Amino acid sequence: MVKDKTNLGTNAMNKILAKPSLIIICLTIAASVISTVSASGFEGDKKDQIKMEKWKCEYCPVQPELQTELSLGLGLVSDDIYHYSNYTGFEDQQFFLSGSVRMIKADGEYWLNEFDRIGTDAPKFMSQYGVQGHYKMKLNYQRIPVRKFDNLITPFANPGSNTLRLSDNWNRSNNTANFDNPNNFTNFSLGVDWDQIGLKFSYIDGNKLEYFVDYNRLDKKGIQESSANQFFRSNYIPMPIDSTSEDISARIIYNAEQWFSTISFRLSKFDNAVNSVSYASPFLALNAGGNVGRLSTNPDNNAVAISLNTRYSYMPRSFLKLNMSYGRLTQDEPYLPYTTNQNLLTELPQASLNGEIDTQKLSLRLSHWINSNWSIRAKYEYRDRYNKTSMQTYRPVITEQFQGDSVINIPYDLTRTNSYAYVDWRNKSKHSVSFGVKQKKLERRFQSVRNTSDDSFIAKYRAMFSEQYQLQVSGEKSSRSGSAPELIDLINVSENPLLQRFNVADRDLAKVNLQFTHHPTDSLSAIISTQYSEEDYSDTEIGLQYSWTNNLNFDLSWHVTDSIDLGLFMEKEKIETNLGGSARFSGRDWLVNNVDKIISYGFSFSVKGLLDSQLKLSGSLQLSDADTLIAINNAGDNSQLPNNDSLWGIADIKATYRYSEDLGFTLNYVYQDFERHDFAIDEVVPGAAANLLTFSAMSHKYNVNHLMLSASYSF
Amino acid sequence: MYKNTSSKEIVIKLILLLLISIGSLAIFALFAASPDTKTEVDLLVLKKHSDYSSKGADTCLKCHDEDSEFPVLDIFKTPHAVKTDKRTPFGQQQCESCHGPAGEHDKSRLRKGEIRESMISFDNKSLLPVDQRNKICSSCHQKIEKSHWEGSVHQVGEVACNDCHTIHTTKDPMRSEITQLDTCGNCHQSHKLASNRYSTHPIKFGQMGCTSCHSLHESDNENLLKRETSNEVCFDCHAEKRGPFLWEHEPVSEDCSLCHAPHGSNQPAMLTQRAPFLCQSCHSSQGHPSIANDDSGLIERRFPALRTGSAFLLGKACVNCHTKVHGSNHPSGSKLQR
């Protein structure tokens, strides 16, 4: 059965226009009651009596118009560790350049340039020019190197190509244990470089109008991990990545006494230079045509959105705010054929998806100060994701070898209605209390549980008992209920009727946060915080049943003297979940308990003023230990999977020596020790699993000594 | 191994007891003799009617120089000190734009026992409440105050501008991505901790900061995200997941954070839980989706001839085959396999 969606768009708009919020109406009426608010802002009465001609600012330090600081450095890494350069760009020995060139004129014209790690794999550059108070132009660039693994193996002779061919001597088999000749594999590394460029322009027109234009571009190039299956046999694919995302937005802000409005337009485009990847299967085909396969890649897509925000202040600190936006996502990439297998090729229902999703949003906010102690806040928000993509019947071909059953594509839709109302009280003794209620409703089309509603009650208390003691406590109690599950004719996979998906299942949520800050002296500060949250899916027999999170954090800062600062922290968190399942398609017969733990602690110090105030020393030591423990009870038998853990230690010492006002030297030593164990990756070599051919990655285990020497000169 | 219900109840009771104790203490504090607030009101009234200094910043800098306990001179390297921009403090009443008229503060000699008149300060010992301090900042930074600050989570939480920003410094730590985590982490300690997990965004290394996803002053979003929804924020960098796709995966279209922990996770790809267990939270059809993936799926090392590793547990588990987990545009990709 194919549902008619032609009227859904009109219905959606009618809902936006005709859906009153009782909360907003009541509070608006309440806000119209006469109320007093103490005067806000600060200006002295005698401002007009100032004799500005005597305010010459003779003691004000005069900044040179042009200031340049250049720093040339050399980085020495003890071992060529691929993963160490992940995000950092540091690999092996290399020179790098950092620095800044700043020009600031007295009339407000300025040109700022900053560059960092030029010469490494993670360079960064920013240039900003403008006249303060009038206009500004900014260019920024950075590269983020994502370095996953090296020394990987693949049966493909040309990893990273979009037509992957097997190495010349490759012998197909049904069992990976027979892929035992290392000469038939090619070595390669997994990583993608992200290049980000941004251009911004802003202009201030008088006091009321400001204009902004932003352009951002993100290029990704490299090889990413993917996989292909040949009917319960899977082999990893070194997927080529070559894509560009571009985003351009324009905004106008109007700022008047009581009105503040923003109108903005945004266009975003994703282009993928790789529209498919063909590969020769390393496994023996079960049927004719199964020796090759073809994967689709992420299709080109576009998004456009226009939005209006407007705020009206009817009295000081009180306002009504309206936010409206309309957007559209589109995708119309030409389809690949069903299969590369000519024996099974049939006609497609259409040449491309012509996918279109409209998004709409309307929100109303009220913030009203009844007097200097009491205020109320309320919000109503309506958001709709209307998927206008047509529904067609397709005849998929499974792994290029078997004709599958006909399937209809399902364009999922969502409508969200969120609202909240809070009452806030505060007094000048620095206590404040907030009580609020919140409701989130979701209507999902084409999903088994159509409607859910989350109702929450929230309370917060904050107190500053004195300069030395501060306390914050908050809690939330929430209950979710959903409509009865329905059978969706379009979905031809039957789930266990006892299954309740965690995002729609009935759930009780409780959260408590507590933070205590103590300043025993001006130079000592301690913060301790703890959080506890618990999600109880009490009605769920199959699916997520229980989840709880607890963390404890401690932070100490000590300004020992004017020259010495010390810091200490300890943080730990534990997340535990229970998941129930059934292998018999009936009641629960297995249960998985998953525990995620992390503890992180560290120490930092800084000492200034050594050697006649020319030397500054700083350093830190940090250790993070994370574990995942998975235990399974399967029909009464208990077992435990090996721990997945990672241990990360970083020690960092930095010495900065100011030889003269213009010349300085920095010596920075970093020691990093990283070790991870992951049973799902480690030793999963050819033959470890008969039907799984991975890249034979091994979890990282390394330690690195990294020394950076730099000299900086200012002129 | 499994959650002990009785210990859970004990924890809940302890927390409730703690809350009740704190609540009682708070109520007592409210009705007990409160700290003298007369000083705050007096300072505002005093400064309102005070005389401005005779020489502006030159008056202040005679004492507040490079040797003073709180260094102030670095403000002259910042946009706040550009005199030709009439919006800035030094384009108006200089130091007294923010700290109020000097009044008697600059009196050169004090009588015995006399206390120097206070100025408006922006630290934790300030005599002004948070909203009054913030009002001074927002009297110039109106755009921030008007767009979304008032009524926002931070404003209601009594966060002062100076809690995050440092003005008398060349580089405000909040304006640099590499130092944002430390500042935000003072309150959001658990999120700072998450950046130490195995799989994270590049926040610790400075390629991203908290403001890459969050708009800390102004947002219509409850979590102070830069965009309308969490998905839209993710699509800024991960536009390849935006779709629409021919074959959609419904949790992807609803909310990325149903499966991913954006602040960091112990699992690869920042998943909240590893596959197959994450997938089995929603999938339980007959056959392999609903089997118990216990240790029988591990590689049997004791008997190398019996390699019994299961592709349902090892590698990427479900994603070994269902690789297009975010959606597929292949006409034969209805099971998200290609």
Side-chain angles (χ1 to χ4, degrees):
Chain A
M1 176 182 75
V2 176
K3 289 199 177 175
D4 181 9
K5 298 171 59 130
T6 51
N7 289 327
L8 285 177
T10 310
N11 291 342
M13 282 310 297
N14 286 342
K15 278 186 184 177
I16 290 173
L17 295 170
K19 199 161 179 95
S21 165
L22 193 58
I23 298 169
I24 293 287
I25 290 174
C26 289
L27 289 173
T28 307
I29 292 169
S32 66
V33 173
I34 294 170
S35 59
T36 55
V37 178
S38 58
S40 58
F42 178 82
E43 262 192 356
D45 287 343
K46 300 183 182 178
K47 193 179 76 167
D48 295 332
Q49 297 176 16
I50 298 172
K51 294 189 174 83
M52 292 303 296
E53 63 277 8
K54 290 192 177 176
W55 285 32
K56 293 180 183 171
C57 215
E58 287 171 349
Y59 296 146
C60 300
V62 176
Q63 304 303 316
E65 253 186 33
L66 183 66
Q67 290 175 292
T68 304
E69 182 175 328
L70 285 177
S71 174
L72 179 66
L74 171 66
L76 301 163
V77 182
S78 60
D79 293 283
D80 189 1
I81 303 290
Y82 187 69
H83 191 252
Y84 183 65
S85 67
N86 187 38
Y87 299 157
T88 66
F90 290 118
E91 191 179 2
D92 210 350
Q93 287 82 1
Q94 58 206 153
F95 283 100
F96 61 90
L97 187 68
S98 298
S100 64
V101 179
R102 300 156 62 90
M103 180 209 75
I104 304 175
K105 286 187 173 176
D107 63 359
E109 185 184 2
Y110 67 91
W111 187 29
L112 309 174
N113 300 277
E114 291 174 359
F115 42 96
D116 190 29
R117 298 188 187 181
I118 308 295
T120 70
D121 286 343
K124 211 167 172 177
F125 171 74
M126 187 280 294
S127 180
Q128 184 170 307
Y129 172 81
V131 176
Q132 188 167 323
H134 293 279
Y135 66 90
K136 175 170 73 177
M137 294 184 285
K138 185 176 178 182
L139 165 71
N140 57 272
Y141 165 79
Q142 75 168 350
R143 170 174 289 182
I144 303 175
V146 179
R147 302 275 184 267
K148 296 282 190 185
F149 293 97
D150 62 347
N151 293 320
L152 302 177
I153 58 171
T154 179
F156 302 109
N158 53 345
S161 165
N162 65 346
T163 308
L164 295 165
R165 57 180 171 78
L166 294 166
S167 57
D168 292 337
N169 297 320
W170 188 264
N171 289 316
R172 288 188 166 98
S173 172
N174 285 330
N175 191 324
T176 61
N178 297 324
F179 302 148
D180 54 3
N181 185 349
N183 295 326
N184 290 339
F185 287 92
T186 309
N187 287 98
F188 76 104
S189 301
L190 209 59
V192 179
D193 282 343
W194 291 35
D195 284 284
Q196 292 179 315
I197 297 175
L199 281 168
K200 292 182 201 298
F201 174 75
S202 64
Y203 176 72
I204 301 172
D205 178 10
N207 286 329
K208 292 206 169 132
L209 285 172
E210 282 186 63
Y211 304 88
F212 298 83
V213 178
D214 287 347
Y215 170 76
N216 290 286
R217 179 183 168 116
L218 173 60
D219 288 296
K220 296 183 192 178
K221 276 200 173 69
I223 302 177
Q224 199 170 66
E225 185 180 271
S226 185
S227 53
N229 78 311
Q230 291 287 329
F231 208 67
F232 286 112
R233 295 170 303 173
S234 170
N235 61 280
Y236 281 16
I237 298 281
M239 176 72 81
I241 299 296
D242 186 357
S243 67
T244 301
S245 306
E246 288 177 286
D247 192 297
I248 184 159
S249 62
R251 206 162 29 120
I252 301 174
I253 293 178
Y254 174 73
N255 181 11
E257 185 70 33
Q258 286 174 282
W259 286 95
F260 183 89
S261 297
T262 308
I263 184 161
S264 58
F265 172 79
R266 185 171 172 234
L267 173 65
S268 174
K269 202 167 146 47
F270 171 75
D271 281 312
N272 197 344
V274 180
N275 69 353
S276 70
V277 173
S278 300
Y279 63 94
S281 171
F283 293 105
L284 274 172
L286 296 171
N287 263 4
N291 278 341
V292 293
R294 197 172 181 193
L295 299 173
S296 66
T297 57
N298 293 309
D300 296 354
N301 63 63
N302 299 297
V304 63
I306 184 165
S307 67
L308 169 70
N309 281 297
T310 194
R311 175 194 197 259
Y312 174 65
S313 260
Y314 53 89
M315 55 199 297
R317 299 194 71 185
S318 298
F319 62 83
L320 278 167
K321 189 177 291 182
L322 171 71
N323 177 311
M324 294 171 63
S325 68
Y326 179 82
R328 178 168 287 177
L329 315 176
T330 54
Q331 187 270 104
D332 200 25
E333 185 81 2
Y335 281 151
L336 295 173
Y338 278 121
T339 177
T340 55
N341 188 339
Q342 299 300 314
N343 298 326
L344 298 175
L345 200 57
T346 55
E347 193 181 337
L348 290 162
Q350 54 192 22
S352 63
L353 180 66
N354 195 19
E356 194 171 289
I357 297 174
D358 283 351
T359 58
Q360 296 158 25
K361 179 191 162 179
L362 171 72
S363 82
L364 295 165
R365 274 176 70 183
L366 168 75
S367 177
H368 178 71
W369 282 74
I370 300 168
N371 54 39
S372 59
N373 297 120
W374 291 91
S375 65
I376 51 178
R377 292 174 287 139
K379 181 180 175 184
Y380 170 79
E381 179 184 86
Y382 175 87
R383 270 197 276 135
D384 186 53
R385 179 183 191 266
Y386 170 38
N387 196 332
K388 294 156 72 175
T389 305
S390 65
M391 297 163 73
Q392 304 287 342
T393 304
Y394 293 81
R395 299 196 65 214
V397 174
I398 312 299
T399 67
E400 319 290 0
Q401 298 169 78
F402 306 100
Q403 183 66 63
D405 295 332
S406 295
V407 185
I408 298 172
N409 65 303
I410 303 176
Y412 293 105
D413 275 341
L414 276 175
T415 302
R416 287 176 224 254
T417 310
N418 299 328
S419 53
Y420 68 64
Y422 286 90
V423 175
D424 306 309
W425 177 88
R426 62 191 60 71
N427 76 356
K428 290 185 180 169
S429 300
K430 301 174 186 179
H431 294 261
S432 65
V433 178
S434 276
F435 290 104
V437 291
K438 203 163 63 167
Q439 185 179 66
K440 290 185 186 179
K441 284 185 172 176
L442 261 104
E443 183 184 339
R444 301 172 178 86
R445 288 184 274 278
F446 302 123
Q447 294 194 47
S448 172
V449 175
R450 190 177 168 83
N451 300 309
T452 55
S453 177
D454 264 277
D455 299 298
S456 308
F457 172 73
I458 297 130
K460 294 183 187 176
Y461 169 67
R462 188 177 182 276
M464 201 161 151
F465 295 110
S466 67
E467 285 170 18
Q468 296 177 337
Y469 298 98
Q470 291 172 40
L471 176 70
Q472 292 181 62
V473 182
S474 66
E476 179 177 344
K477 186 83 178 71
S478 170
S479 177
R480 180 167 70 205
S481 57
S483 55
E486 303 167 10
L487 194 62
I488 307 293
D489 299 338
L490 300 168
I491 299 173
N492 59 2
V493 173
S494 299
E495 300 284 357
N496 188 321
L498 295 173
L499 171 72
Q500 299 238 38
R501 294 182 170 177
F502 67 91
N503 59 323
V504 297
D506 289 355
R507 178 196 71 177
D508 289 320
L509 166 78
K511 265 194 212 177
V512 179
N513 297 338
L514 188 147
Q515 181 164 319
F516 181 68
T517 307
H518 180 39
H519 304 277
T521 67
D522 282 351
S523 57
L524 190 60
S525 163
I527 303 174
I528 185 164
S529 70
T530 182
Q531 290 177 324
Y532 173 82
S533 78
E534 176 187 283
E535 294 175 56
D536 192 351
Y537 300 84
S538 49
D539 293 338
T540 300
E541 187 172 342
I542 305 294
L544 192 64
Q545 314 213 303
Y546 192 79
S547 171
W548 74 286
T549 304
N550 172 242
N551 70 49
L552 181 65
N553 311 286
F554 173 73
D555 221 295
L556 182 76
S557 304
W558 186 16
H559 184 63
V560 182
T561 66
D562 282 346
S563 309
I564 301 174
D565 286 280
L566 297 175
L568 191 70
F569 76 90
M570 190 280 292
E571 292 156 346
K572 62 187 280 192
E573 185 171 77
K574 182 177 173 184
I575 303 171
E576 187 168 348
T577 57
N578 279 353
L579 169 72
S582 172
R584 295 174 293 116
F585 205 69
S586 61
R588 192 181 80 203
D589 55 26
W590 56 260
L591 189 71
V592 171
N593 173 259
N594 188 110
V595 176
D596 259 336
K597 294 192 288 191
I598 179 168
I599 180 164
S600 184
Y601 41 92
F603 166 77
S604 65
F605 74 92
S606 161
V607 182
K608 295 185 289 194
L610 300 170
L611 295 181
D612 289 331
S613 299
Q614 286 179 289
L615 179 66
K616 178 183 169 184
L617 280 177
S618 62
S620 65
L621 175 68
Q622 183 178 318
L623 203 65
S624 297
D625 186 358
D627 286 276
T628 300
L629 302 97
I630 302 172
I632 301 120
N633 180 300
N634 182 9
D637 289 330
N638 289 325
S639 64
Q640 183 116 16
L641 295 177
N643 287 6
N644 284 349
D645 58 75
S646 56
L647 185 63
W648 198 358
I650 305 175
D652 180 341
I653 296 177
K654 191 171 177 180
T656 306
Y657 180 67
R658 200 84 225 155
Y659 180 76
S660 68
E661 206 174 303
D662 301 325
L663 183 63
F665 299 96
T666 302
L667 178 67
N668 191 3
Y669 168 74
V670 175
Y671 173 78
Q672 188 176 131
D673 193 301
F674 182 69
E675 186 171 342
R676 177 161 172 88
H677 300 106
D678 187 342
F679 70 83
I681 298 174
D682 298 341
E683 298 184 19
V684 184
V685 296
N691 59 341
L692 177 64
L693 184 61
T694 69
F695 292 146
S696 296
M698 286 297 293
S699 291
H700 301 292
K701 182 177 187 243
Y702 60 84
N703 56 66
V704 168
N705 295 281
H706 185 188
L707 193 66
M708 286 169 278
L709 297 149
S710 61
S712 61
Y713 185 68
S714 307
F715 56 92
Chain B
M1 175 172 85
Y2 301 106
K3 187 76 191 91
N4 187 331
T5 306
S6 63
S7 67
K8 174 187 81 172
E9 284 178 350
I10 290 168
V11 169
I12 292 172
K13 283 178 184 166
L14 280 173
I15 289 172
L16 280 172
L17 185 62
L18 183 65
L19 283 172
I20 290 167
S21 306
I22 290 165
S24 307
L25 189 64
I27 290 167
F28 171 77
L30 285 171
F31 287 99
S34 53
D36 185 8
T37 60
K38 187 166 175 288
T39 317
E40 299 166 9
V41 177
D42 283 351
L43 179 64
L44 277 176
V45 170
L46 177 68
K47 288 298 161 185
K48 192 106 174 99
H49 302 303
S50 288
D51 292 321
Y52 283 83
S53 65
S54 59
K55 293 189 178 176
D58 286 337
T59 308
C60 311
L61 293 174
K62 273 202 289 197
C63 298
H64 295 283
D65 56 15
E66 62 270 15
D67 296 322
S68 59
E69 187 185 338
F70 183 78
V72 301
L73 296 182
D74 279 348
I75 195 172
F76 291 98
K77 299 176 184 173
T78 72
H80 279 123
V82 174
K83 291 179 218 157
T84 50
D85 184 352
K86 294 303 171 193
R87 304 171 308 161
T88 67
F90 276 80
Q92 299 175 62
Q93 292 80 51
Q94 299 178 2
C95 310
E96 291 160 271
S97 302
C98 303
H99 295 285
E104 299 283 305
H105 180 79
D106 62 340
K107 202 169 168 181
S108 52
R109 283 191 183 184
L110 298 172
R111 286 190 296 276
K112 193 176 174 183
E114 186 182 4
I115 298 170
R116 188 174 292 282
E117 180 179 309
S118 297
M119 296 292 287
I120 293 171
S121 66
F122 295 90
D123 55 23
N124 288 334
K125 294 194 291 186
S126 174
L127 295 173
L128 287 195
V130 166
D131 61 330
Q132 293 294 338
R133 281 184 258 156
N134 288 355
K135 195 71 191 167
I136 294 172
C137 303
S138 62
S139 61
C140 294
H141 294 281
Q142 290 181 11
K143 190 165 56 121
I144 290 167
E145 193 248 339
K146 282 184 179 179
S147 57
H148 285 99
W149 174 257
E150 189 65 46
S152 71
V153 171
H154 283 142
Q155 184 270 313
V156 172
E158 299 277 303
V159 176
C161 303
N162 60 277
D163 285 338
C164 302
H165 293 284
T166 310
I167 305 304
H168 286 273
T169 184
T170 314
K171 259 204 157 162
D172 181 1
M174 277 308 290
R175 295 185 65 87
S176 174
E177 286 173 335
I178 201 165
T179 43
Q180 279 173 1
L181 185 63
D182 284 332
T183 307
C184 300
N186 281 332
C187 294
H188 301 279
Q189 290 173 309
S190 63
H191 297 94
K192 186 179 169 187
L193 171 63
S195 69
N196 293 326
R197 289 179 179 271
Y198 166 66
S199 178
T200 65
H201 282 114
I203 295 180
K204 283 168 65 74
F205 309 97
Q207 279 89 354
M208 281 178 74
C210 305
T211 54
S212 300
C213 300
H214 294 279
S215 181
L216 309 183
H217 302 125
E218 46 183 309
S219 172
D220 201 43
N221 181 286
E222 193 180 15
N223 295 319
L224 294 183
L225 295 173
K226 274 170 33 170
R227 306 271 182 225
E228 309 274 341
T229 64
S230 53
N231 278 26
E232 286 177 46
V233 170
C234 302
F235 296 151
D236 270 356
C237 293
H238 302 283
E240 66 275 7
K241 313 281 192 297
R242 184 164 55 201
F245 293 96
L246 169 59
W247 310 105
E248 293 208 320
H249 191 193
E250 61 267 37
V252 176
S253 54
E254 182 172 327
D255 191 341
C256 303
S257 61
L258 287 174
C259 298
H260 294 280
H263 294 111
S265 159
N266 283 355
Q267 320 307 330
M270 286 187 273
L271 292 174
T272 54
Q273 202 176 355
R274 68 180 313 127
F277 310 110
L278 176 62
C279 313
Q280 289 179 312
S281 303
C282 294
H283 295 281
S284 68
S285 50
Q286 272 183 311
H288 68 275
S290 55
I291 62 172
N293 290 285
D294 57 15
D295 62 348
S296 62
L298 296 171
I299 304 163
E300 184 53 78
R301 296 185 187 85
R302 283 178 297 155
F303 304 102
L306 298 173
R307 291 281 187 171
T308 57
S310 165
F312 297 131
L313 181 65
L314 302 176
K316 297 181 287 183
C318 312
V319 187
N320 286 332
C321 295
H322 300 280
T323 189
K324 306 299 282 183
V325 69
H326 294 103
S328 169
N329 211 52
H330 196 298
S332 294
S334 56
K335 294 189 188 298
L336 305 181
Q337 289 173 337
R338 55 183 180 141

